[in-house]
Amino acid sequence: MNPHVLIIGAGFAGVWSALSAARLLDQAKRDDVRVSVLAPQPELRIRPRFYESDVHGMKAPLGALFEAVGVTFIKGQAHGIDADARTVRYTDADGQPRQIGYDRLILAAGSQVARPVVPGLAEHTFDVDQMESAMVLERHLVDLANQPASPARNTVVVCGGGFTGIETATEMPARLRAILGQDAPVRVIVVDRGPSIGAALGAGIIPVIVEACEQAGVEWLSGTSVVAVDAGGVTLDDGEYIASKTVIWTVGVKASPLTAQVPGERDGFGRLRVDEHLKVAGQAHIYATGDVAWAAVDDLGNHALMTCQHAIPMGRHSGNNAVADLLGLAPVMYRQPKYVTCLDLGGWGAAFSEGWERELKLQGQEGKNLKRQINSVWIYPPAADRAQALAAADPLIPIV
């Protein structure tokens, strides 16, 4: 049987792994190696936009693109990896257990919101982590208009003041007023353990976060945390109770539990340590990429974050290197020393920064224009054109 490169996951890292693997096979003029993507659906879901409204449309179909480059899509949910036998167990589209072998495996299974043991958290909070959960939140928000007016109905509590929490919170006042009426007395509160507004994001962009939140009317409760959630609201660690029908959890993420199926060293997020070629340390046939990979981006001690900014170029490298390993070709070292951020701040605009210290470069409408370009164009996959798609998957393309 022909050698097989199996990719688990159709997120940013998985899609670009598939395209890059196909690219190197095309360059090597090899048509005897199979490349397959195993995932629940043949679409790239644009997860960085799930804090917005109309989330159901934030996806890009992959069927025609994969067909154009010769990648096979397998619809199913992976749930087991046997590194010794080089097999993956999964449930297919009909709910039947299946098993598939590989010669090289690329784990690109992504991440999920971290849910600590907090009473009532699982039952009474929403999140914008996955498309399904973001759609549940959206339906809930729309249904608020059918409920009697009350402070609890009009109050949204966002737990966590990191990137996702800030983008969700600053977008929320406009979303609520579009549903409840422009004169509705809405209240959006961010509860964050950090000592001050935006503390986790660095001093460089804190002033614009403060300004944007003040303009939107977003309140912050810093230096505190949620210790319990019930159907009526949240209890804070100082005993304060906030009545709210809408509590959104954005506190942290963790790597896919599939990482536990692969022997290796992991970081605090559950990501597998990989070498400079994105091969899992201690594994001869398994690569990890995107949110499941604990990968160095430079020689200064910085590591990739769990964002599409790092997942896309990591995918270009992991797909290329898995095929290179299989064919006995030289791999390409993954390095991504330039780091940028573009933080959406609702109606105020956005903040664009450069460097790990997040030096502010653009703000307000200028930043918003760039954010829209990133969210609506740059992070989407290429068209289903073979030459265009393969060219876009070159791991040596300059990256940020």
Side-chain angles (χ1 to χ4, degrees), residues 340-360:
V340 303
T341 63
C342 198
L343 178 68
D344 201 343
L345 293 169
W348 181 89
F352 174 75
S353 66
E354 294 183 352
W356 292 96
E357 299 301 320
R358 300 195 177 109
E359 181 182 355
L360 186 64

Side-chain angles (χ1 to χ4, degrees), residues 301-324:
N302 295 308
H303 290 79
L305 300 183
M306 298 161 89
T307 67
C308 66
Q309 174 183 179
H310 288 117
I312 291 172
M314 287 173 76
R316 289 188 179 120
H317 284 75
S318 54
N320 178 91
N321 290 343
V323 169

Side-chain angles (χ1 to χ4, degrees), residues 265 272-289 293-297 303 314 317-318 321-322 325 331-335:
E265 183 183 357
L272 288 159
R273 180 183 284 280
V274 296
D275 66 15
E276 60 191 12
H277 303 132
L278 303 183
K279 181 180 285 189
V280 175
Q283 294 295 326
H285 307 104
I286 302 178
Y287 291 75
T289 190
W294 181 15
V297 296
H303 290 79
M314 287 173 76
H317 284 75
S318 54
N321 290 343
D325 190 26
V332 177
M333 180 191 301
Y334 168 70
R335 284 294 184 266

